[in-house]
Amino acid sequence: MLDPPSGVISTGGGASSAPEQYLLRLYVAGTTQRSMTAIINIRKICEEHLGGRYVLEVIDLYQQPQLANGDQIIALPTLIKKLPPPLRRIIGDLSNTEKVLVGLDLRAL
Amino acid sequence: MASQHPKPASAAASRSSEALCKSLTGIKGLDTITGGGLPTGRATLVCGGAGTGKSILAMEFLYRGIAEFDEPGVLMTFEESPLDVAQNMHSLGFDVQSMVSSRKMVMDCVVLDPEEVLEGGSFNLEGLFIRLGQAIDSIGAKRVVLDTIDSLFSCLPNPARIRSELHRLFRWLKDKGVTAIVTGESGMDTYTRDGLEEYVSDCVILLTVSVSDRMASRFLRIIKYRGSDHGKNEYPFVIDGRGIALFPITAEGLDWQASQDHISSGVKKLDQMLGGAGFYQGSTVLVSGSAGTGKSTFLASFINAACLRKERAIYISFEESPSQIVRNMNSIGIRFEQHLEQGLLRIESYRCTQCDLEQHLLNIHRVIEEFLPRAVVIDPITSLSDISSHLFIKRMLAKLTGLLRTRGVSLMLGSLTPSGATPEGTSASISSLIDSWIFLREIEGDGEFNRALVIRKSRGMNHSNKVREFKITDDGIDICEVIYGATGVLTGRARQLQSAERVAEIKQSEIDAG
């Protein structure tokens, strides 16, 4: 089963062998199908491409609506790549893996 | 039978509960043409091109909602930072900052850099709903402004998705029961670039700026207002240091109370020609004539008489500066300095090309509201034809005379007849607005130019029909006695001669009788 979405911080397993650490934040709204799909998708991508060098924070705006302004959230779900720069927002359920990888600078356009 | 009775009553009750409620915007002219404001609990679309005043109208609606109707409001802006908004509003005299700190207003600024955004799957705008919902609930907002919502299309991908989400947003606003203004940019062939008018169907207002002869004028038109009658014209309006001002011509009805009181023209013999006591209080008087016939002198005499009665009066000039007017009138015995010192007189000089007609009307309106005069003169009204057509000037005068009549303020207008024009000339077009019309002319003959006047019309009084010569003396205007000669009324030297002959005749007959 899925973990409860809000406030979950997952870190990849191994030590920091890679040069760049990823700080990711995923905003969702409740436990809708779209939210769940986004969470599953980003976890899968992180495990496959960022093993051991990422921090993923999942925020449910239904539970913490006051957090929407700070990160300028309009569309949901929104994945924000806070680190490494440049800052990037990937909106949607993250089912388009190619686009997500481009957004995370893991694949050239 | 008895059981059937309640039916019509309940039907009536449900009808009245369905009746459209309106929320006053606090922008007076707008509330007049909408018959009481915008539809309560619904969204109104305000559309227009860049710089037409959409944001200002929306902000004024929000600001006055708080200041005048105690209805807290939320501003969600997609274009400016809260600081910019506060500064812009401050320049209109709206202290937004204190409303935010007293928790009457929430400002939320949506900034998205489209460069940062990538679409990685299906999404919705629930984040916007959450933010807006949170802002509304935090202060119990009754009014909401979304400015300019079509910015969403430029900062997010997938326009079809945005469109369906906006549709959902407008339904959601309705469910929330907030009275909203949504602003949108005008499109090429549509009212808004992205066809927002399809979703916001209760009330649509269009703002435009049109430039003619290089003078820009703003116009407001209500495109639709579901379930309500509304003014359908393009209404000119202005934006100045105090927000939006709109004077619909229809706002001042033809239902003022006509005064029985009289007011002196300031020229004793003219009062006699008018039936003894002068004009009616609150009437509109036109003094027309070609250059140098003495229009300004008549206007100044009228104002002078009001001030001497200790009534406040305003002299509005489109030609001369206040000091020039004071100096010139001094030469004919009218002491404006005294009236100015006593606070009975205000002289306002405007260059007519400094702003558009509507702004002039607003300026005059404001001076009148501040100073509360009993008499006003405008010298000359024909200067305004430099910036506008006769039709628009007539409409502006209709608004102005309507405004003054309802307050019982008497108005005297100067009107320059161009040389070579028919006597009625430009003035005939405004004749319907005029209660009394004094026509000044020059009579040439016997090697001299003499001034004469005739009362062309004066509603509701038995006035003289004579052409009378008048002189401008050190003590003001003197209307001469009527002396008939072989060719009619004599003027100038001929009149003096005839008058002297008559005196001689009388003397002679006295001698003969003696």
Side-chain angles (χ1 to χ4, degrees):
Chain A
M1 271 310 289
L2 289 165
D3 296 327
S6 190
V8 174
I9 294 178
S10 325
T11 43
S16 55
S17 53
E20 285 188 313
Q21 282 289 330
Y22 273 75
L23 177 55
L24 304 175
R25 191 177 283 170
L26 177 66
Y27 286 90
V28 294
T31 52
T32 59
Q33 187 58 49
R34 196 180 269 137
S35 303
M36 289 307 155
T37 308
I39 293 169
I40 291 169
N41 284 335
I42 190 60
R43 284 200 178 141
K44 188 157 163 280
I45 291 167
C46 285
E47 283 309 316
E48 284 175 14
H49 297 88
L50 295 170
R53 54 186 181 107
Y54 71 95
V55 175
L56 173 68
E57 199 180 345
V58 179
I59 293 170
D60 179 2
L61 284 182
Y62 281 161
Q63 290 176 36
Q64 294 169 286
Q66 70 282 1
L67 296 180
N69 299 45
D71 268 328
Q72 285 292 348
I73 303 303
I74 289 288
L76 285 179
T78 292
L79 175 71
I80 297 185
K81 180 185 67 128
K82 299 215 144 214
L83 283 174
L87 186 129
R88 195 148 292 142
R89 303 158 183 278
I90 304 161
I91 61 174
D93 62 10
L94 310 177
S95 54
N96 187 338
T97 310
E98 283 302 305
K99 275 274 183 72
V100 177
L101 291 177
V102 169
L104 294 177
D105 294 323
L106 294 170
R107 186 150 305 169
L109 271 169
Chain B
M1 273 302 283
S3 65
Q4 303 233 321
H5 265 293
K7 263 192 170 175
S10 70
S14 76
R15 255 204 311 278
S16 71
S17 70
E18 281 165 17
L20 190 69
C21 287
K22 295 184 181 180
S23 294
L24 291 169
T25 61
I27 303 166
K28 284 202 187 75
L30 183 59
D31 289 338
T32 305
I33 60 175
T34 51
L38 305 179
T40 302
R42 298 179 186 203
T44 294
L45 175 66
V46 176
C47 46
T52 49
K54 302 183 293 293
S55 302
I56 289 173
L57 190 148
M59 268 311 290
E60 193 166 345
F61 157 79
L62 210 57
Y63 183 87
R64 295 199 184 278
I66 297 165
E68 294 171 25
F69 309 108
D70 198 26
E71 293 194 355
V74 170
L75 167 69
M76 186 173 257
T77 166
F78 296 85
E79 292 189 328
E80 298 175 291
S81 75
L83 192 68
D84 289 342
V85 174
Q87 277 175 351
N88 292 350
M89 290 304 121
H90 198 78
S91 68
L92 297 174
F94 301 158
D95 185 5
V96 170
Q97 218 71 59
S98 77
M99 289 189 165
V100 171
S101 51
S102 62
R103 298 190 51 76
K104 291 285 181 192
M105 188 188 288
V106 170
M107 280 202 274
D108 187 3
C109 173
V110 177
V111 204
L112 274 185
D113 179 358
E115 293 286 303
E116 291 172 3
V117 181
L118 258 126
E119 186 183 8
S122 90
F123 68 93
N124 63 15
L125 296 185
E126 193 64 22
L128 184 74
F129 289 65
I130 291 171
R131 279 165 80 163
L132 205 47
Q134 153 109 351
I136 292 170
D137 296 341
S138 71
I139 54 166
K142 297 271 191 294
R143 299 183 180 208
V144 167
V145 165
L146 299 168
D147 180 41
T148 313
I149 198 142
D150 36 14
S151 301
L152 280 176
F153 288 96
S154 56
C155 64
L156 288 174
N158 200 340
R161 185 79 212 149
I162 310 271
R163 198 160 286 141
S164 74
E165 282 295 282
L166 285 184
H167 203 171
R168 187 162 75 95
L169 175 68
F170 296 136
R171 282 201 311 268
W172 179 86
L173 285 170
K174 215 174 214 175
D175 292 342
K176 273 276 182 191
V178 290
T179 308
I181 286 187
V182 177
T183 65
E185 286 282 331
S186 279
M188 292 292 277
D189 306 313
T190 51
Y191 292 126
T192 57
R193 218 162 39 192
D194 302 287
L196 296 173
E197 60 270 22
E198 289 168 31
Y199 319 135
V200 189
S201 46
D202 290 307
C203 184
V204 179
I205 295 173
L206 176 69
L207 306 182
T208 51
V209 174
S210 89
V211 179
S212 76
D213 288 336
R214 306 197 178 191
M215 296 287 295
S217 303
R218 299 176 185 280
F219 294 95
L220 179 152
R221 182 158 73 96
I222 301 168
I223 305 283
K224 73 193 255 188
Y225 197 146
R226 182 175 285 175
S228 167
D229 195 16
H230 58 83
K232 291 164 188 67
N233 304 333
E234 263 193 334
Y235 297 94
F237 73 98
V238 287
I239 297 172
D240 71 353
R242 289 182 241 181
I244 287 182
L246 185 149
F247 302 100
I249 196 163
T250 45
E252 314 280 352
L254 276 174
D255 54 357
W256 63 82
Q257 195 63 42
S259 172
Q260 292 295 329
D261 298 335
H262 287 83
I263 178 170
S264 169
S265 66
V267 180
K268 204 166 176 218
K269 285 176 185 162
L270 180 57
D271 290 348
Q272 287 165 3
M273 289 174 71
L274 288 160
F279 308 111
Y280 283 118
Q281 176 70 47
S283 62
T284 303
V285 181
L286 179 72
V287 178
S288 74
S290 51
T293 46
K295 293 182 297 298
S296 299
T297 312
F298 273 91
L299 300 182
S301 304
F302 180 63
I303 283 292
N304 187 42
C307 291
L308 290 174
R309 290 192 302 272
K310 303 292 171 205
E311 292 174 1
R312 276 195 295 274
I314 300 179
Y315 193 118
I316 293 162
S317 174
F318 288 115
E319 286 186 339
E320 297 173 289
S321 73
S323 71
Q324 199 179 353
I325 293 167
V326 170
R327 182 200 67 193
N328 294 352
M329 291 309 148
N330 224 353
S331 71
I332 56 162
I334 292 176
R335 310 272 175 250
F336 273 163
E337 313 96 315
Q338 289 174 8
H339 305 322
L340 287 168
E341 275 166 26
Q342 292 171 348
L344 290 168
L345 175 64
R346 232 172 116 160
I347 303 178
E348 294 282 327
S349 294
Y350 304 113
R351 189 162 294 283
C352 67
T353 48
Q354 79 191 17
C355 55
D356 73 349
L357 209 52
E358 213 51 30
Q359 182 73 49
H360 277 303
L361 178 63
L362 178 69
N363 293 343
I364 294 170
H365 191 152
R366 291 216 166 119
V367 177
I368 289 166
E369 287 205 325
E370 272 171 33
F371 199 64
L372 299 172
R374 293 291 286 164
V376 174
V377 303
I378 300 180
D379 184 25
I381 202 74
T382 32
S383 287
L384 292 172
S385 57
D386 289 354
I387 57 165
S388 193
S389 72
H390 287 313
L391 179 64
F392 287 104
I393 294 171
K394 185 178 175 182
R395 284 184 188 165
M396 180 231 182
L397 284 179
K399 294 178 198 178
L400 185 64
T401 54
L403 171 82
L404 293 175
R405 276 181 218 278
T406 51
R407 286 151 206 249
V409 180
S410 309
L411 173 67
M412 190 181 267
L413 304 167
S415 171
L416 176 70
T417 313
S419 60
T422 56
E424 283 80 6
T426 52
S427 314
S429 64
I430 58 168
S431 170
S432 62
L433 301 171
I434 302 297
D435 298 308
S436 301
W437 182 358
I438 313 294
F439 177 55
L440 311 182
R441 56 180 296 201
E442 280 172 328
I443 297 175
E444 188 183 2
D446 244 355
E448 53 189 38
F449 263 122
N450 292 300
R451 295 186 175 102
L453 70 83
V454 63
I455 301 170
R456 289 302 292 252
K457 77 176 209 184
S458 198
R459 286 172 177 160
M461 53 183 71
N462 185 14
H463 60 84
S464 159
N465 63 349
K466 299 267 190 297
V467 176
R468 298 285 295 268
E469 184 186 0
F470 67 93
K471 288 194 263 186
I472 297 175
T473 70
D474 291 349
D475 293 319
I477 293 166
D478 182 29
I479 298 179
C480 309
E481 291 310 310
V482 186
I483 307 283
Y484 287 103
T487 53
V489 174
L490 299 178
T491 61
R493 208 166 55 86
R495 175 182 51 76
Q496 287 168 359
L497 211 61
Q498 183 82 359
S499 175
E501 275 173 21
R502 224 171 259 180
V503 170
E505 267 171 32
I506 291 166
K507 277 197 177 147
Q508 189 59 50
S509 64
E510 278 170 5
I511 292 163
D512 294 348

